[in-house]
Amino acid sequence: MTTGPQKQLSPRIRQNMEQMLEAQLDSLQSQLKSSNDVLRQTAQSAVRTISDDLECLHDLSRKSTRDLKDEVAQRRAEIESLMQELEQQRLRHGQIVTRRAVALILSGIALAGLMAAFSAFLGAKVATLPPPEPQIQLIPEQLTGSRTIRGVGGLGQVILLPPGLSPASCPIGAGTNRTCLTME
């Protein structure tokens, strides 16, 4: 037996190491293969899920677009119907306003004609009336001895009362434009 550095391993140890290395390589390969299989299955499942989700999203967007188009078409039909109704109402209102305007104009012309005829009648009536007689002022008996003084040019007049008479407040209900007197 030699004790010193050995340049080679014993064949038995070498064989054991090679077997261990091979077993570890086989184990690593099987683990790698199983990891690859799991990863491949996960990737395929993810691809299927994504594909299914995209197909579902595509169907949903197609349905939403179709529903939106239907709703837009329905709203458009409703708006067109309302516009036709408004146009018919506008035409009816225009006819009514035109009729009323014509009726007002014709009634205004007729009223003007009646007023002209009435004015002519009143003018003829006034022209044929006798002129009014001047008012005669009657002086009551108690005012005997009173005098009336007229202003310059006939403007205004003052009545001088006889002694013993003086102006007083008229009782309620005596009428307007009256002068009441009291004896002293």
Side-chain angles (χ1 to χ4, degrees):
M1 191 167 169
T2 60
T3 56
Q6 296 180 349
K7 292 187 176 180
Q8 284 194 350
L9 291 173
S10 75
R12 194 169 184 195
I13 293 176
R14 182 184 278 168
Q15 187 179 12
N16 282 342
M17 283 185 71
E18 284 177 7
Q19 284 176 356
M20 245 181 8
L21 276 172
E22 277 184 37
Q24 283 181 347
L25 278 173
D26 286 343
S27 171
L28 281 174
Q29 261 185 338
S30 81
Q31 285 178 357
L32 185 60
K33 186 177 179 194
S34 94
S35 287
N36 279 344
D37 289 344
V38 169
L39 187 60
R40 186 179 300 117
Q41 287 175 355
T42 304
Q44 287 174 348
S45 174
V47 166
R48 276 194 304 271
T49 303
I50 289 172
S51 176
D52 291 345
D53 287 350
L54 284 175
E55 186 65 32
C56 185
L57 181 64
H58 187 265
D59 290 344
L60 184 63
S61 69
R62 195 177 314 141
K63 183 182 179 297
S64 296
T65 303
R66 190 175 340 115
D67 290 347
L68 187 61
K69 282 182 182 178
D70 292 345
E71 186 176 344
V72 166
Q74 181 183 0
R75 294 287 169 100
R76 181 178 179 191
E78 289 173 1
I79 290 172
E80 287 175 352
S81 172
L82 287 173
M83 287 176 62
Q84 287 175 353
E85 280 184 39
L86 286 174
E87 182 64 23
Q88 290 173 354
Q89 285 180 357
R90 185 188 67 79
L91 291 174
R92 278 189 301 230
H93 287 276
Q95 290 172 349
I96 290 171
V97 167
T98 303
R99 287 181 195 151
R100 287 193 179 172
V102 168
L104 282 174
I105 290 171
L106 291 177
S107 63
I109 291 172
L111 184 61
L114 284 174
M115 288 178 64
F118 186 68
S119 296
F121 171 75
L122 281 180
K125 184 76 171 167
V126 168
T128 59
L129 285 177
E133 295 181 17
Q135 287 185 346
I136 301 173
Q137 293 188 357
L138 300 174
I139 299 175
E141 295 172 0
Q142 290 90 357
L143 295 180
T144 309
S146 64
R147 292 187 335 197
T148 302
I149 302 172
R150 299 199 187 277
V152 179
L155 297 175
Q157 66 183 10
V158 175
I159 298 176
L160 292 175
L161 297 173
L165 285 179
S166 63
S169 298
C170 292
I172 296 175
T176 57
N177 295 330
R178 293 187 176 234
T179 305
C180 296
L181 303 172
T182 61
M183 299 218 28
E184 297 175 357

